[in-house]
Amino acid sequence: MGAPPGYRPSAWVHLLHQLPRADFQLRPVSSGFAPQEQEYQQALLLVVALAGLGLGLSLILIAAYLIRVCCCRPPEPPGSKSPPPGGGCVTWSCIAALLVSCTGIGIGFYGNSETSDGVSQLSSALLHANHTLSAIDHLVLETVERLGEAVRTELTTLEEVFTQRTELVAATRGARRQAEAVAQQLQGLAFWQGVPLSPLQVAEDVSFVEEYRWLAYVLLLLLELLVCLFTLLGLAKQSKWLVIVMTVMSLVVLVLSWGSLGLEAATAVGLSDFCSSPDTYVLNLTQEETGLGSDILNYYFLCNQAVSNPFQQKPLLSLEETLNVTEGNFHQLVALLNCRSLHKDYGTALRGLCEDALEGLLFLLLFSLLSAGALATALCSLPRAWALFPTSDDYDDTDDDDPFNPQESKRFVQWQSSI
């Protein structure tokens, strides 16, 4: 099948399409896009399950590392205030992991924007196609109404006038039959009239889902950004309670990152299967939902010389010459019924979905991967980092005359209350 003009499957589509797929019994599954088949659904769910496996391994490794650090740490000599060896390395490794996470957040914002742009192109193409189809229906309806009015008024009046002229009455009735035949042929041109599938409704549904998807990712990115910033603040101020709270939040964001990673990976794999050969699935789905003939769908979705125009049998050009009163409408109908307009919308939708949206998904996938790795590293380092923070006893050697000394402030409050 011919590809839409301007659209060719990208290298990412080919790469993801070549990845092996398997069902829950680890049997190979075809990479053809078939979301209605149970084996294909299991293959995508298995991709999500791999992300869950990664989350489980991350939590096990973090727990094993922290247990080893807590249980195998050598005892400190009594009265020792010197920090244990490697404390600076732990802190800097945590800071480096948080900076990597911030880099991933920037990639995530870019990927979220690219995905949104691709889906917006899809919605715009659907709205333009809906406008074209609605214009065809409107022109056909308007032209049929004009022809009906002409038959009811002008031709009827002519028959009454030419009652005494038999040959003129016969010609008038012939014109009536011709006008009725033209109206019947025109009604066949409004091929989308009465079809239950509405491109406008599809565009609205896509926009609705995309709006909440975009908002969910923005909230996730902002949450991770706040966690990184407050963790860095806690390390800089050596605030143990702030670091503990951010450690718990890092664990929450780690789970969310692995969850989004699984959804993004499954969506990218499924989208690559669709984009590698979209025509077959789109034709079958559209024919199933609309009930239109394959000749019309092939003409508009493929739009090449190998597919004939199903409307060529309807003498549009001769009708233009016969009925000058509707000549403008016929010109517009000829232009609208040409496959180039709707096929251009089809190509625009595919480019938005298979190029920008898929590229944005891959960037979101990279964001989730970087975030999961960085947060796992931070979760290993943060407990060791807050253990190195000085305790309240470390402030005992401060100057007693220092007004900002907590003990001096406490004595001042006690003295003031005794007065």
Side-chain angles (χ1 to χ4, degrees), residues 15 17 41 54 146 199 234 237 272 304 311 351 369 381 406 413:
L15 179 62
H17 187 61
Q41 296 173 2
R146 287 185 179 182
K237 295 178 66 65
S272 68
N304 53 35
F311 302 107
R351 286 195 301 273
L369 191 60
S381 303
V413 171

Side-chain angles (χ1 to χ4, degrees), residues 139-157 175-184 186-187 323 325-326 329:
L139 284 173
V140 169
L141 179 62
E142 181 182 357
T143 306
V144 169
E145 288 180 352
R146 287 185 179 182
L147 289 174
E149 183 179 357
V151 170
R152 291 190 302 270
T153 57
E154 281 82 359
L155 292 179
T156 302
T157 303
R176 178 194 292 272
R177 288 192 297 270
Q178 185 181 22
E180 292 174 349
V182 169
Q184 186 176 3
L186 281 174
Q187 290 176 351
L323 300 173
V325 66
T326 56
N329 285 1

Side-chain angles (χ1 to χ4, degrees), residues 45-160:
L45 290 175
L46 191 61
V47 176
V48 180
L50 290 177
L53 179 62
L55 172 61
L57 290 176
S58 298
L59 295 178
I60 291 174
L61 291 176
I62 292 172
Y65 176 80
L66 295 179
I67 292 174
R68 177 184 175 277
V69 170
C70 295
C71 298
C72 302
R73 185 173 58 182
E76 298 180 3
S80 174
K81 295 184 179 181
S82 60
C89 180
V90 171
T91 303
W92 281 110
S93 64
C94 184
I95 293 175
L98 293 173
L99 292 178
V100 170
S101 182
C102 291
T103 304
I105 292 171
I107 295 175
F109 273 111
Y110 176 76
N112 196 36
S113 176
E114 281 293 299
T115 304
S116 180
D117 290 342
V119 177
S120 296
Q121 289 186 39
L122 172 62
S123 300
S124 299
L126 288 171
L127 291 175
H128 189 269
N130 182 77
H131 174 74
T132 301
L133 296 171
S134 300
I136 293 174
D137 293 343
H138 175 72
L139 284 173
V140 169
L141 179 62
E142 181 182 357
T143 306
V144 169
E145 288 180 352
R146 287 185 179 182
L147 289 174
E149 183 179 357
V151 170
R152 291 190 302 270
T153 57
E154 281 82 359
L155 292 179
T156 302
T157 303
L158 285 176
E159 285 187 20
E160 295 175 354

Side-chain angles (χ1 to χ4, degrees), residues 107-400:
I107 295 175
F109 273 111
Y110 176 76
N112 196 36
S113 176
E114 281 293 299
T115 304
S116 180
D117 290 342
V119 177
S120 296
Q121 289 186 39
L122 172 62
S123 300
S124 299
L126 288 171
L127 291 175
H128 189 269
N130 182 77
H131 174 74
T132 301
L133 296 171
S134 300
I136 293 174
D137 293 343
H138 175 72
L139 284 173
V140 169
L141 179 62
E142 181 182 357
T143 306
V144 169
E145 288 180 352
R146 287 185 179 182
L147 289 174
E149 183 179 357
V151 170
R152 291 190 302 270
T153 57
E154 281 82 359
L155 292 179
T156 302
T157 303
L158 285 176
E159 285 187 20
E160 295 175 354
V161 172
F162 298 140
T163 304
Q164 305 301 325
R165 304 284 300 272
T166 307
E167 68 279 6
L168 295 180
V169 171
T172 303
R173 291 176 178 175
R176 178 194 292 272
R177 288 192 297 270
Q178 185 181 22
E180 292 174 349
V182 169
Q184 186 176 3
Q185 290 180 349
L186 281 174
Q187 290 176 351
L189 296 180
F191 63 92
W192 200 263
Q193 191 172 12
V195 171
L197 180 65
S198 171
L200 177 61
Q201 184 62 42
V202 175
E204 291 177 350
D205 294 341
V206 169
S207 299
F208 178 80
V209 174
E210 169 59 20
E211 181 180 355
Y212 282 95
R213 186 212 62 83
W214 178 86
L215 180 60
Y217 266 101
V218 168
L219 293 177
L220 175 61
L221 291 165
L222 291 177
L223 175 62
E224 185 169 349
L225 181 61
L226 291 175
V227 168
C228 291
L229 293 179
F230 278 106
T231 303
L232 291 173
L233 179 63
L235 292 173
K237 295 178 66 65
Q238 294 188 344
S239 174
K240 183 175 292 188
W241 69 268
L242 183 57
V243 173
I244 292 175
V245 171
M246 289 302 106
T247 302
V248 176
M249 293 301 300
S250 297
L251 181 62
V252 174
V253 178
L254 176 67
V255 175
L256 294 177
S257 297
W258 277 109
S260 65
L261 178 65
L263 293 177
E264 292 150 8
T267 305
V269 170
L271 190 57
S272 68
D273 294 339
F274 168 79
C275 295
S276 62
S277 181
D279 295 339
T280 303
Y281 179 77
V282 173
L283 283 171
N284 293 335
L285 181 63
T286 307
Q287 187 172 13
E288 179 182 349
E289 294 292 333
T290 62
L292 294 176
S294 58
D295 54 343
I296 296 178
L297 297 178
N298 286 329
Y299 174 66
Y300 284 108
F301 281 113
L302 304 183
C303 194
N304 53 35
Q305 296 179 353
V307 182
S308 61
N309 187 347
F311 302 107
Q312 283 181 347
Q313 298 176 356
K314 299 176 175 61
L316 291 178
L317 298 179
S318 61
L319 294 178
E320 288 183 26
E321 298 174 358
T322 305
L323 300 173
N324 293 327
V325 66
T326 56
E327 182 177 0
N329 285 1
F330 278 109
H331 278 298
Q332 294 183 47
L333 274 176
V334 170
L336 289 173
L337 287 171
N338 191 280
C339 67
R340 291 190 181 90
S341 177
L342 288 176
H343 189 65
K344 181 181 178 182
D345 297 332
Y346 177 51
T348 302
L350 286 180
R351 286 195 301 273
L353 190 63
C354 299
E355 293 178 4
D356 290 345
L358 181 60
E359 181 183 352
L361 271 176
L362 293 176
F363 276 109
L364 288 174
L365 189 67
L366 179 60
F367 146 72
S368 299
L369 191 60
L370 288 176
S371 298
L375 289 173
T377 304
L379 284 171
C380 291
S381 303
L382 284 174
R384 295 190 63 189
W386 84 54
L388 300 175
F389 292 168
T391 59
S392 58
D393 295 337
D394 296 334
Y395 294 99
D396 291 343
D397 57 349
T398 55
D399 188 2
D400 292 339

